[in-house]
């Protein structure tokens, strides 16, 4: 039985194209997975840092976040997680490299940050009570 040459030629073009598309979709899914894991970890450590005032505990939280990211990310090598705490806000910064970015220099650098405003519950309670008094309740 003979196979037509056009069939062989079509498959030699189509199969690599579909393979490339599938690999690109898998790489994209891994990238978005790792970005979501990093965002979640940064959110968690900013919320934890809001409750803590000791700098030693801040370092422990940073180390725990780095360990968590090393365990949970698939293709991102996280090199640094930092907490920046000021009077009014808390910022968590993560730096890493996406290892599946290929040979493009700098294409795989991932820098993410998450910032929350510090809350002061006693201040909020006083303001709400003052509003309630003004409304006559």
């Amino acid at each position: 039985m003979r196979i037509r040459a056009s069939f062989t030629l079509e498959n030699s073009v189509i199969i690599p194209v579909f393979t490339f598309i599938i690999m690109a979709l898998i790489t994209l899914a891994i990238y978005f997975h790792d970005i979501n894991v990093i965002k979640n970890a940064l959110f968690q450590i900013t919320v934890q840092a809001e409750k803590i005032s000791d700098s030693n505990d801040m370092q422990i939280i940073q180390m725990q976040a780095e360990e968590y990211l090393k365990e949970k990310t698939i293709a991102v090598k996280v090199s640094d997680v930092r907490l920046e705490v000021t009077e009014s806000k808390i910022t968590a910064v993560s730096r890493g490299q996406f290892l599946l970015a290929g040979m493009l220099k700098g294409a795989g650098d991932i820098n993410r940050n998450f910032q929350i405003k510090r809350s002061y519950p006693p201040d909020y309670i006083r303001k709400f009570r003052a509003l309630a008094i003004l409304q006559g309740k």
Side-chain angles (χ1 to χ4, degrees), residues 1-66:
M1 179 172 171
R2 296 185 80 192
I3 298 176
R4 294 177 48 206
S6 64
F7 179 75
T8 305
L9 184 61
E10 289 171 1
N11 282 336
S12 69
V13 172
I14 291 173
I15 289 175
V17 168
F18 280 131
T19 303
F20 176 75
I21 290 171
I22 289 171
M23 293 304 292
L25 289 173
I26 290 171
T27 303
L28 193 62
I30 290 171
Y31 175 78
F32 283 123
H33 168 270
D34 287 352
I35 292 299
N36 285 330
V37 168
I38 291 169
K39 284 182 182 180
N40 180 35
L42 294 179
F43 174 74
Q44 288 178 1
I45 65 170
T46 52
V47 170
Q48 288 177 355
E50 185 180 23
K51 300 175 186 175
I52 295 172
S53 60
D54 187 20
S55 63
N56 290 333
D57 290 340
M58 296 284 187
Q59 291 177 348
I60 291 171
I61 290 173
Q62 289 176 8
M63 290 172 31
Q64 288 174 344
E66 286 180 14

Side-chain angles (χ1 to χ4, degrees), residues 120-137:
Y120 297 101
D123 292 344
Y124 294 136
I125 292 170
R126 280 189 222 108
K127 288 176 185 177
F128 283 123
R129 286 184 181 164
L131 287 173
I133 291 171
L134 288 175
Q135 290 181 348
K137 292 183 180 179

Side-chain angles (χ1 to χ4, degrees), residues 114-126:
F114 186 81
Q115 179 178 335
I116 61 171
K117 181 182 172 187
R118 283 193 104 143
S119 63
Y120 297 101
D123 292 344
Y124 294 136
I125 292 170
R126 280 189 222 108

